[in-house]
């Protein structure tokens, strides 16, 4: 069924506000009742909508209106979060309810990416995706790198920019939409969908540092997709050499790899993960304390710069340290309050690694709702 503009608007309103009656829809959309009724009927006929429990009767005991909601099982949406050292996926319905989730820790490269994605797809096809009904609407893939025009243009942490796995997936999954999105942008979309702030930043800290920005309810991607690359803003003039060619980039001071490498330069004992670092910190290890203090200090500079440029209402931080070091955010804010005061909320994301995954699935759902 080809949907018209009114039908798209109805789906969009009901996606954001389930359980509205035809009268409510007419009021919200400012479209006359008979047009709403005709279009709702068509959406009901094609299983896009469901009539749900009746609403409250009018005070005068009038007829109870019938409410409407999306038929959440109309389509399925698959998302992948593909990082340098893991691949995770989730299959959800239109309401982002997870039907199946999986995570595999493995080193990802152009050699194995097609196999890893296809392995998941084949499993899901057998169990959850009825080919006849063409229930799978989209496969959204979040990539730790730059995405522009639905293409991978640059992946500094792995060589997926040299892989043809996307074109193979497209060829082999005819009728399924394939979307690519930057991992930090996906996380920002997730926070935006669930937290309802108009202006936010979502900072993902792993091997590198990524940041997704939503301003006035719009994801900001910037020229050729490079907005939010805060990992490469300079926080220390003439500081540590970065892989981008500059000196003193933020991610040379606050990424997981930066913390590990700093610890290893000041300690005889060597570590290979932020998990090790956190454990030593909790045991009172001097070098670990020093490393965390340094991280917190530079985080405050990075966050301060970000606030000054985009003025978000809230910043969500998604990092292992934020989850595992007591008072991590409070300590960052304390550094900032010494010189700057601003009413921006800084919070640990409640989704952890799933914000990227849910956000990239939501990206596909948005395309379905908006009929794009
Ligand atoms: Zn850099």
């Amino acid at each position: 069924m080809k949907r018209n503009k009114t039908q798209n608007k109805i789906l969009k309103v009901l996606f954001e506000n389930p359980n509205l009656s035809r009268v409510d829809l007419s009021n919200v959309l400012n479209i006359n009742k008979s047009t709403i009724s005709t279009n709702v009927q068509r959406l009901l006929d094609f299983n896009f909508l469901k009539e749900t429990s009746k609403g409250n009767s009018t005070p005068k005991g009038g007829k109870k209106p019938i409410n409407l909601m999306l038929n959440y099982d109309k389509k399925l949406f698959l998302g992948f979060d593909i990082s340098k050292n893991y691949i995770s996926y989730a299959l959800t319905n239109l309401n982002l309810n997870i039907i199946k989730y999986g995570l595999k820790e493995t080193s990802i490269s152009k050699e194995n990416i097609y196999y890893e994605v296809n392995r998941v797809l084949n499993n899901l096809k057998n169990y959850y995706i009825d080919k006849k009904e063409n229930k799978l609407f989209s496969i959204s893939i979040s990539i730790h790198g730059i995405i522009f025009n639905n293409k991978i243009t640059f992946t500094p942490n792995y060589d997926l920019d040299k892989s043809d796995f996307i074109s193979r997936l497209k060829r082999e999954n005819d009728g399924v939409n394939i979307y690519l999105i930057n991992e930090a942008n996906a996380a920002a979309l997730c926070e935006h969908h669930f937290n309802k702030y108009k202006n936010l930043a979502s900072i993902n800290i792993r091997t590198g540092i990524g940041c997704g920005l939503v301003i006035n309810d719009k994801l900001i991607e910037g020229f050729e997709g490079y907005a939010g690359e805060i990992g490469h803003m300079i926080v220390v003039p003439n500081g540590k050499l970065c892989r981008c060619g500059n000196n003193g980039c933020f991610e040379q001071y606050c990424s997981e790899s930066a913390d590990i490498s700093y610890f290893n330069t000041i300690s005889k004992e060597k570590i290979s993960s932020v998990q090790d670092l956190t454990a030593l910190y909790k045991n009172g290890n001097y070098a670990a304390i020093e490393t965390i203090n340094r991280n917190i200090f530079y985080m405050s500079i990075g966050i301060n710069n970000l606030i000054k440029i985009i003025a978000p209402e809230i910043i969500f931080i998604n990092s292992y340290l934020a989850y595992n070091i007591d008072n991590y955010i409070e300590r960052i804010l304390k550094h900032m309050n010494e010189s700057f005061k601003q009413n921006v909320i800084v919070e640990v994301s409640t989704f952890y690694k799933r914000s990227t995954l849910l956000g990239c699935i939501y990206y596909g759902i948005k395309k379905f709702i908006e009929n794009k």
Side-chain angles (χ1 to χ4, degrees):
M1 164 196 171
K2 240 190 152 181
R3 279 145 43 192
N4 64 28
K5 274 188 181 166
T6 307
Q7 290 156 3
N8 289 338
K9 284 181 187 169
I10 293 172
L11 290 187
K12 189 162 188 260
V13 169
L14 286 170
F15 178 64
E16 277 148 22
N17 316 276
N19 285 313
L20 298 180
S21 67
R22 288 165 176 82
V23 176
D24 296 332
L25 284 171
S26 160
N27 292 335
V28 172
L29 291 170
N30 203 16
I31 295 174
N32 72 60
K33 280 174 211 156
S34 80
T35 308
I36 290 287
S37 282
T38 316
N39 285 292
V40 161
Q41 193 50 52
R42 193 146 166 86
L43 289 168
L44 282 167
D45 292 344
F46 282 85
N47 287 321
F48 282 92
L49 297 183
K50 272 182 170 174
E51 288 185 326
T52 64
S53 58
K54 293 173 178 172
N56 297 322
S57 58
T58 62
K60 286 177 184 164
K63 213 172 97 187
K64 290 179 177 181
I66 295 166
N67 284 345
L68 297 156
M69 64 187 282
L70 296 188
N71 171 16
Y72 291 132
D73 298 321
K74 170 82 180 165
K75 288 283 177 191
L76 293 174
F77 301 83
L78 176 61
F80 285 95
D81 177 10
I82 300 175
S83 128
K84 186 187 170 189
N85 42 25
Y86 70 84
I87 173 167
S88 65
Y89 73 89
L91 181 74
T92 80
N93 68 4
L94 250 169
N95 199 29
L96 276 164
N97 298 122
I98 294 178
I99 298 160
K100 182 91 179 146
Y101 167 81
L103 169 85
K104 182 175 172 186
E105 293 197 5
T106 182
S107 181
I108 298 289
S109 72
K110 68 178 168 92
E111 313 301 333
N112 66 354
I113 183 60
Y114 174 78
Y115 164 79
E116 290 296 342
V117 169
N118 213 37
R119 181 181 57 85
V120 171
L121 266 171
N122 284 330
N123 269 329
L124 294 177
K125 263 180 197 157
N126 296 336
Y127 294 100
Y128 301 100
I129 300 163
D130 181 347
K131 261 194 148 176
K132 270 181 232 152
E133 261 193 76
N134 199 15
K135 268 203 145 186
L136 184 64
F137 178 80
S138 60
I139 302 172
S140 331
I141 300 176
S142 92
I143 296 288
H144 297 223
I146 307 292
I147 306 294
F148 186 61
N149 279 343
N150 212 31
K151 286 198 178 72
I152 303 175
T153 56
F154 179 51
T155 52
N157 298 319
Y158 45 19
D159 57 2
L160 295 192
D161 48 357
K162 294 176 187 69
S163 162
D164 68 342
F165 81 107
I166 296 295
S167 29
R168 275 186 84 176
L169 283 177
K170 281 184 183 161
R171 272 202 307 275
E172 289 163 18
N173 294 276
D174 199 24
V176 179
N177 299 286
I178 304 216
Y179 301 122
L180 291 166
I181 181 166
N182 163 275
E183 55 99 25
N185 287 350
L189 282 183
C190 170
E191 303 291 0
H192 181 247
H193 175 62
F194 286 104
N195 291 298
K196 312 286 177 206
Y197 288 94
K198 276 175 88 78
N199 299 284
L200 65 86
S202 166
I203 305 179
N204 281 3
I205 301 176
R206 294 171 192 163
T207 325
I209 300 181
C211 177
L213 306 169
V214 173
I215 303 197
N216 283 329
D217 293 322
K218 277 221 158 73
L219 182 70
I220 302 297
E221 292 176 282
F223 180 60
E224 296 189 344
Y226 278 86
E229 281 298 312
I230 63 166
H232 300 281
M233 55 185 185
I234 295 170
V235 294
V236 179
N238 303 316
K240 269 192 84 181
L241 178 66
C242 180
R243 59 196 160 90
C244 73
N246 267 332
N247 288 79
C249 291
F250 186 34
E251 72 177 37
Q252 294 305 318
Y253 297 84
C254 294
S255 65
E256 292 184 356
S257 13
D259 291 332
I260 294 165
S261 117
Y262 182 72
F263 177 92
N264 287 339
T265 58
I266 62 168
S267 164
K268 274 188 199 144
E269 191 177 348
K270 305 296 171 197
I271 57 167
S272 59
S273 69
V274 279
Q275 285 79 355
D276 296 343
L277 174 67
T278 306
L280 287 168
Y281 173 82
K282 289 187 173 167
N283 279 334
N285 175 287
Y286 173 77
I289 294 172
E290 172 66 25
T291 306
I292 300 288
N293 287 348
R294 173 181 181 265
N295 170 291
I296 286 172
F297 174 70
Y298 287 109
M299 279 297 290
S300 71
I301 295 179
I303 289 175
N304 170 73
N305 291 352
L306 181 62
I307 290 173
K308 293 295 172 286
I309 296 168
I310 66 151
E313 298 161 78
I314 186 160
I315 296 177
F316 294 98
I317 312 244
N318 209 315
S319 82
Y320 186 85
L321 294 187
Y323 280 91
N324 291 285
I325 300 293
D326 288 343
N327 304 319
Y328 183 75
I329 303 283
E330 289 78 1
R331 289 178 59 196
I332 291 172
L333 291 175
K334 211 175 152 207
H335 275 294
M336 293 169 61
N337 284 343
E338 279 156 19
S339 330
F340 310 98
K341 268 208 178 345
Q342 200 157 338
N343 295 325
V344 182
I345 306 163
V346 182
E347 250 177 34
V348 182
S349 162
T350 52
F351 297 97
Y352 193 36
K353 280 187 179 172
R354 288 199 187 187
S355 61
T356 293
L357 195 50
L358 288 173
C360 85
I361 294 170
Y362 171 66
Y363 187 69
I365 292 176
K366 253 175 79 124
K367 299 271 185 190
F368 171 75
I369 299 285
E370 291 165 4
N371 215 359
K372 278 181 183 160

